[in-house]
Amino acid sequence: MPRESFKAVNEICLVDIRNKYFKYVDRDTGEVTDRKIEDVHSEISSIILSTQVPKEIQSSFNTARKLALYSWYCYAFHQTAEMKAFSSLEEALKLKFGSTNKGLRDLIKKALNHCDIRDRGFQHIAPPEDPESIEYSLKLVDLIPSMRNRLAHGSQTLHNQSGLTLSICADFINQLFTYEKDN
C-alpha cells in the first residue's frame, strides 16, 4: 500500500494518482473515458439531504460531501468522508430521538421501529416489489456500525466508494426526517 505523504504547495491541486486507475463509463452510451473531477463533482452533488432535515445535520453532511469531492486530490479522504457521513447519521439519530447513551446499532434499530425507513427509500438498490419491504434496511442494523467501527478503530481500508457510503447515509437521514411510521 502506498504511504501517504504531505504534498508540496505546488502539488496541492494535482489529482492523487490513485484516482487515475479508475474510468468513467457513460451509462447511456457505454463510452469509457478517464475519470475527471467533474465526474466526481457530479456524483457527489447528486447526494443531497431533504430540506426537512435539520440545518445542523445538513451542515455536518455537507462536510462529508466536501471531503468526498476533495478525495480527488487526496485519495485517503474517501475514508475520512465516510467517517463524517457515519458521524452525521449518528448525529441525526440522536437529534431525532433526543440525546441518548445508546450506540449506533441501537439507534438504527429504534429508527426502523419508529420511523418509516423502507428499502424503497434507498436509491442505490433496485426498487423492491413490496413498497413496505425492509429486508435491506434490516441489514443496515449490523452493516453501518460494522463499517463505521472498522474505520474508527484502526483500519488500512482504502477504496474509492465514499460516494456509495454517503448515498446510504443520506437516504437513511432523509427517511428519518421525512416520514413518521404509521402506528
Side-chain angles (χ1 to χ4, degrees):
M1 180 172 92
R3 295 177 124 186
E4 296 298 327
S5 59
F6 193 73
K7 285 187 170 187
V9 71
N10 64 330
E11 297 174 337
I12 293 170
C13 293
L14 297 178
V15 61
D16 187 312
I17 192 66
R18 292 169 283 191
N19 283 302
K20 292 293 192 175
Y21 300 146
F22 302 94
K23 302 291 182 186
Y24 175 76
V25 179
D26 186 298
R27 291 182 182 189
D28 296 326
T29 66
E31 181 183 4
V32 178
T33 58
D34 288 336
R35 197 161 186 228
K36 303 181 295 289
I37 185 68
E38 292 84 2
D39 300 320
V40 177
H41 186 274
S42 177
E43 174 190 1
I44 301 305
S45 65
S46 71
I47 304 169
I48 56 175
L49 295 181
S50 164
T51 57
Q52 293 175 290
V53 173
K55 298 291 184 209
E56 60 265 40
I57 304 303
Q58 290 184 34
S59 180
S60 178
F61 191 77
N62 277 330
T63 300
R65 292 172 71 209
K66 288 183 215 175
L67 285 162
L69 177 62
Y70 299 152
S71 69
W72 181 254
Y73 303 106
C74 179
Y75 195 81
F77 279 5
H78 280 292
Q79 280 52 70
T80 309
E82 289 182 307
M83 277 300 300
K84 186 60 179 171
F86 291 136
S87 173
S88 298
L89 173 59
E90 188 166 12
E91 183 182 355
L93 288 161
K94 287 181 177 182
L95 183 64
K96 179 73 175 181
F97 298 118
S99 186
T100 177
N101 292 333
K102 293 184 181 279
L104 182 57
R105 178 176 277 108
D106 289 336
L107 288 167
I108 292 171
K109 284 182 189 178
K110 188 170 185 173
L112 290 173
N113 288 326
H114 296 285
C115 301
D116 194 23
I117 309 293
R118 298 288 181 263
D119 297 352
R120 69 177 181 266
F122 292 95
Q123 298 175 41
H124 67 283
I125 61 172
E129 288 182 26
D130 176 3
E132 296 304 309
S133 174
I134 59 169
E135 181 180 352
Y136 173 77
S137 301
L138 286 171
K139 292 177 182 177
L140 296 177
V141 171
D142 291 320
L143 182 64
I144 289 175
S146 173
M147 291 170 61
R148 191 273 316 263
N149 289 345
R150 192 172 5 165
L151 292 172
H153 300 294
S155 169
Q156 295 299 315
T157 298
L158 197 60
H159 60 76
N160 69 343
Q161 297 299 307
S162 61
L164 176 59
T165 300
L166 268 68
S167 179
I168 293 168
C169 290
D171 290 342
F172 200 108
I173 292 168
N174 283 334
Q175 291 185 77
L176 190 62
F177 289 100
T178 304
Y179 305 108
E180 292 295 324
K181 192 175 200 175
D182 294 330
N183 289 325

